Amino acid sequence: MPRVGVIGGGQLARMMVPEALELGIEIRVLAETVDSPAAIAATAVGDYRDEATVLAFARDVDVVTFDHEHVPQSVLRALEAAGVAVHPGPDALLYAQDKIMMRRRLQELGLPVPDWALISDAAALDAFLAEHGGVGVVKTARGGYDGKGVRVVRSAAEVDDWFAAMAAGDGPELLVEELVSFRRELAQLVARRPSGEVQAWPVVETIQKDGVCSEVLAPAPGSAGRIADVAEQIALDVAEGLGVTGVLAVELFETDDDRILVNELAMRPHNSGHWTQDGSTTSQFEQHLRAVLDLPLGATGTLADWSVMVNVLGGPTDGSALVDHYPAMLAQHPTAKMHAYGKSPRPGRKLGHVNVAGDDLDQIVYEARAAAAFFTTL
Amino acid sequence: MPRVGVIGGGQLARMMVPEALELGIEIRVLAETVDSPAAIAATAVGDYRDEATVLAFARDVDVVTFDHEHVPQSVLRALEAAGVAVHPGPDALLYAQDKIMMRRRLQELGLPVPDWALISDAAALDAFLAEHGGVGVVKTARGGYDGKGVRVVRSAAEVDDWFAAMAAGDGPELLVEELVSFRRELAQLVARRPSGEVQAWPVVETIQKDGVCSEVLAPAPGSAGRIADVAEQIALDVAEGLGVTGVLAVELFETDDDRILVNELAMRPHNSGHWTQDGSTTSQFEQHLRAVLDLPLGATGTLADWSVMVNVLGGPTDGSALVDHYPAMLAQHPTAKMHAYGKSPRPGRKLGHVNVAGDDLDQIVYEARAAAAFFTTL
């Protein structure tokens, strides 16, 4: 039986487990803690930054893949040097780990990105702001996720702390991007095998609250035709150009002036693809396993006209658990598919999501939001 | 987090694990062996006939349910006496364990069953055969499954060994049934909560080879209307009348003279319901967990006009593993959903199944058969 080793025991690793079981693939997880979401498949608990820990974990698996992009390049290179198959590989992951590298490479590939600049000091930032209407989005090159490491600023003083940390040598490099005036955000997921086969799901609309994904509509309403074609081609070009293996999520802006620009990349299953669990012939978690094992990819057709995913964020604040609210929620929403991550409630934390698929978009949006509202506190 | 304990570590327990993970329910399995199909969730390995083993396993779970119907009544009663919730309970399971009890009870309930008789000796059998065209189906009251414990006979001599075992006190009681002249076999699955809610999936057609389920077509072609209504009502009456909790499968004959007769019962997820994993809003495994936890049941609508399940029986005879054939199979059948049980090949053994859903029955029957044929040797 082929063995996939997943570094990181979060909800993405957790949701690979059902697909591995059904495919008859053995899955092993290197988890951060003993009570991680993917604990059922954890064969090791340890620090993914520690080379010896990761090498020991990887010794008995056929391929290593990831729940997150935070494994250091030095550890990834050590894995490859030890003969371990790593998907996505370090050369690709570099672009998901470092936003400056990513922006440079996408520009080289001729892909559409917001205006941006490396900023080594406040003067460089002020110059960029002056050229872009007095506003910009400053990002740390490394370490950001779910809105962290991102600030919309109107003066360099608003990121004084980041400049200071960088100057002191204990903070990441910084870049600034134009504040894109966008109509909505989209995400395009594709999967790519080491031997080259690619498959794309339909482009989706993602709705963020406070920088965190809140809802996904699949496909993105009104996207059939130009938007779907452009988004898919961008993601395929990124996958090919960066040599991504496994699932690639490309977060996109649909601008007010009808351009599609690349915002961020993730090289793993992604929140914007959770709808595929109940809305596509092949879920992103199954596809990721197939891709990293270099198995033929599955069909990405939809099971209904529309799918909606709503995140369960925060959870009850009265000390109750998610499951305490199941009797009421499940009784009212028999078509809602609950996906819980086995985490305890905490404000803003992603605890799970609800998927609903159907032929009436308004109806399923209502169902998914109403179902998730049983658990969600922001 | 609610904890479900499953007695038995076969493929049915295995396929409850993904649903438990997504629902955020803890699942624990008492497995027969360390390498059972449900090993990933096994918290104990032991003999389900041993009261102390089962009681120890059940101590830390909220409800006990089953991968099979073979747990002795004495053990089930001891669980209840110890205050453990058991679903389905011993009073219901009795009818899935003993075909004589089942036939008597269904007759009391006025449900349609084949002609049958208890046979304590060869003379009684000969008398029954004489009244039924010289042929009958002799069954052991206990211990039969997948065609075992069932013989079509034309003379009492053909079950001499069973009579001898019964007379010696080490064989089960025997019954004989008319050999029903049927057009096809059907199965009706329903789920019932302890508090009474019931949900039914569409009736399906099941195709047996050598007494083992080989294919399932969902819904049964041409069943809309009378057949669907009658089958569903029979299963609901059985569930209610026998007090079944969890999933109930009622195997049915559609006779040449247009009657629907009850053949067998199973009180657990069933081979005839595997199509629900990829063809229904709620799979039988999720529904079983919801039912035994007395949670509201999920919607049982279909995701496509048709679903087809084909069992993977036997497996490769050349020493190769199922996964060795994935590259060829998955490349040719991107819409086929593989479900592997983690078992090693053996002639006739159920190793997995393939589901395909779609709108063209002929096409998906072809896809599912062709996909399963990569692995199947009978």
Side-chain angles (χ1 to χ4, degrees):
Chain A
M1 205 186 323
R3 287 187 189 143
V4 175
V6 185
I7 299 183
Q11 64 260 27
L12 301 179
R14 178 188 179 93
M15 292 186 278
M16 292 179 202
V17 176
E19 307 292 358
L21 270 171
E22 295 302 334
L23 269 177
I25 299 301
E26 189 173 333
I27 185 167
R28 298 183 173 199
V29 170
L30 171 60
E32 294 80 2
T33 60
V34 291
D35 61 349
S36 73
I40 194 170
T43 55
V45 174
D47 186 344
Y48 58 79
R49 296 164 301 190
D50 182 68
E51 191 175 305
T53 298
V54 174
L55 279 170
F57 168 73
R59 199 163 292 136
D60 298 320
V61 302
D62 297 299
V63 58
V64 164
T65 190
F66 308 95
D67 173 77
H68 57 69
E69 291 103 346
H70 308 317
V71 179
Q73 282 284 323
S74 60
V75 175
L76 298 172
R77 303 284 170 188
L79 281 172
E80 285 209 325
V84 178
V86 180
H87 293 294
D91 289 342
L93 271 172
L94 192 56
Y95 302 108
Q97 294 176 326
D98 189 306
K99 294 190 208 300
I100 294 170
M101 302 281 292
M102 185 264 281
R103 285 284 178 242
R104 277 199 189 119
R105 182 75 184 122
L106 294 187
Q107 260 179 332
E108 284 172 13
L109 291 168
L111 290 164
V113 297
D115 275 352
W116 73 282
L118 185 65
I119 44 171
S120 47
D121 55 31
L125 175 52
D126 281 330
F128 185 94
L129 294 178
E131 287 167 21
H132 291 84
V135 63
V137 183
V138 180
K139 298 182 176 181
T140 59
R142 293 169 170 271
Y145 65 96
D146 278 354
K148 296 177 183 66
V150 176
R151 284 185 203 161
V152 177
V153 306
R154 291 174 186 279
S155 92
E158 295 178 54
V159 286
D160 266 354
D161 53 334
W162 288 357
F163 279 123
M166 183 172 64
D170 61 354
E173 288 189 292
L174 301 176
L175 68 159
V176 61
E177 298 176 359
E178 64 170 317
L179 181 65
V180 174
S181 183
F182 60 83
R183 190 175 290 137
R184 58 177 176 174
E185 292 185 72
L186 305 172
Q188 174 68 55
L189 265 72
V190 299
R192 182 171 174 275
R193 293 170 62 185
S195 56
E197 186 195 0
V198 288
Q199 286 289 345
W201 287 274
V203 66
V204 302
E205 177 174 347
T206 64
I207 299 164
Q208 271 67 235
K209 279 186 187 155
D210 303 325
V212 177
C213 178
S214 165
E215 297 181 14
V216 171
L217 313 180
S223 63
R226 186 189 68 91
I227 295 172
D229 293 347
V230 170
E232 182 174 321
Q233 194 57 53
I234 287 172
L236 295 177
D237 288 347
V238 172
E240 188 73 26
L242 273 51
V244 182
T245 43
V247 167
L248 165 72
V250 182
E251 298 181 31
L252 300 160
F253 295 121
E254 182 185 337
T255 69
D256 288 340
D257 58 352
D258 284 325
R259 291 174 301 148
I260 308 284
L261 303 180
V262 176
N263 181 16
E264 304 284 356
L265 306 181
M267 296 180 189
R268 49 169 170 78
H270 188 254
N271 203 158
S272 64
H274 290 352
W275 68 275
T276 58
Q277 292 174 306
D278 300 294
S280 174
T281 298
T282 307
S283 86
Q284 64 168 344
F285 300 101
E286 178 185 348
Q287 199 79 302
H288 188 73
L289 293 175
R290 288 163 77 146
V292 301
L293 285 165
D294 204 15
L295 288 170
L297 301 178
T300 52
T302 55
L303 301 176
D305 289 350
W306 299 102
S307 292
V308 174
M309 188 245 29
V310 177
N311 272 341
V312 172
L313 294 169
T317 52
D318 60 358
S320 61
L322 291 191
V323 292
D324 297 331
H325 302 267
Y326 281 11
M329 186 284 261
L330 297 174
Q332 288 192 37
H333 302 288
T335 62
K337 305 315 295 175
M338 181 75 195
H339 299 269
Y341 306 156
K343 295 175 176 176
S344 43
R346 196 167 69 196
R349 195 179 204 191
K350 288 181 183 174
L351 300 181
H353 64 274
V354 175
N355 287 334
V356 183
D359 294 336
D360 179 338
L361 180 58
D362 288 344
Q363 176 64 22
I364 66 168
V365 167
Y366 161 75
E367 293 282 353
R369 285 185 186 163
F374 278 87
F375 314 106
T376 294
T377 54
L378 287 170
Chain B
M1 202 186 323
R3 287 188 189 144
V4 174
V6 185
I7 299 183
Q11 62 260 27
L12 301 179
R14 178 188 180 93
M15 290 186 278
M16 292 179 202
V17 176
E19 306 291 358
L21 270 172
E22 296 301 335
L23 270 178
I25 300 300
E26 189 174 333
I27 185 166
R28 297 182 173 201
V29 170
L30 171 59
E32 294 80 3
T33 59
V34 290
D35 62 349
S36 72
I40 194 170
T43 55
V45 174
D47 186 345
Y48 58 80
R49 295 165 300 188
D50 181 67
E51 192 175 304
T53 298
V54 174
L55 280 169
F57 167 73
R59 198 163 293 137
D60 297 321
V61 302
D62 296 298
V63 57
V64 163
T65 189
F66 308 95
D67 173 77
H68 57 70
E69 292 103 345
H70 308 317
V71 179
Q73 282 284 322
S74 59
V75 174
L76 298 172
R77 304 284 170 186
L79 280 172
E80 285 209 324
V84 178
V86 180
H87 293 295
D91 290 343
L93 270 172
L94 193 56
Y95 303 108
Q97 294 176 327
D98 188 307
K99 294 189 208 300
I100 293 170
M101 302 281 293
M102 185 265 280
R103 284 285 177 240
R104 277 200 190 117
R105 183 74 184 123
L106 295 186
Q107 259 179 335
E108 282 172 15
L109 291 168
L111 290 164
V113 297
D115 276 351
W116 72 282
L118 184 67
I119 45 171
S120 48
D121 56 27
L125 175 53
D126 281 331
F128 185 94
L129 295 177
E131 286 167 21
H132 291 84
V135 64
V137 183
V138 179
K139 298 181 176 182
T140 58
R142 292 168 169 271
Y145 66 95
D146 279 353
K148 295 177 182 67
V150 176
R151 284 186 203 159
V152 176
V153 305
R154 292 176 185 277
S155 93
E158 295 177 54
V159 286
D160 265 354
D161 51 336
W162 288 357
F163 279 124
M166 182 171 65
D170 62 353
E173 288 189 293
L174 300 176
L175 68 160
V176 61
E177 298 176 359
E178 63 170 318
L179 181 65
V180 174
S181 182
F182 60 83
R183 190 175 291 137
R184 58 179 176 173
E185 291 186 72
L186 305 173
Q188 175 67 56
L189 265 73
V190 299
R192 183 173 174 274
R193 293 169 63 184
S195 57
E197 186 195 0
V198 289
Q199 286 288 346
W201 287 273
V203 66
V204 302
E205 177 174 347
T206 64
I207 299 164
Q208 272 64 238
K209 279 188 189 154
D210 302 325
V212 177
C213 178
S214 164
E215 296 182 16
V216 171
L217 312 181
S223 63
R226 186 188 69 91
I227 295 172
D229 294 347
V230 169
E232 183 174 321
Q233 194 56 54
I234 289 172
L236 295 177
D237 288 347
V238 171
E240 187 73 26
L242 273 50
V244 181
T245 43
V247 166
L248 165 71
V250 181
E251 298 180 33
L252 301 160
F253 294 121
E254 181 185 338
T255 69
D256 287 339
D257 57 353
D258 284 324
R259 291 173 302 148
I260 309 285
L261 303 179
V262 177
N263 181 15
E264 304 285 355
L265 306 181
M267 296 180 190
R268 48 169 171 77
H270 187 253
N271 203 157
S272 64
H274 290 352
W275 69 274
T276 59
Q277 294 175 305
D278 299 294
S280 175
T281 298
T282 308
S283 86
Q284 64 168 347
F285 300 102
E286 179 185 349
Q287 198 80 303
H288 188 73
L289 293 175
R290 289 164 76 147
V292 302
L293 285 165
D294 204 16
L295 287 170
L297 302 178
T300 52
T302 55
L303 300 176
D305 290 349
W306 299 102
S307 292
V308 174
M309 189 244 34
V310 177
N311 273 340
V312 172
L313 295 168
T317 51
D318 60 358
S320 60
L322 291 190
V323 292
D324 297 332
H325 302 267
Y326 280 13
M329 187 283 261
L330 297 174
Q332 288 193 38
H333 303 287
T335 62
K337 305 315 295 177
M338 182 74 196
H339 299 270
Y341 307 155
K343 296 175 176 175
S344 44
R346 195 166 70 198
R349 195 179 203 191
K350 288 181 182 174
L351 300 182
H353 64 274
V354 175
N355 287 334
V356 183
D359 295 336
D360 179 337
L361 180 58
D362 288 344
Q363 176 64 22
I364 66 169
V365 166
Y366 161 75
E367 292 283 352
R369 284 184 186 163
F374 277 87
F375 314 107
T376 294
T377 53
L378 287 170

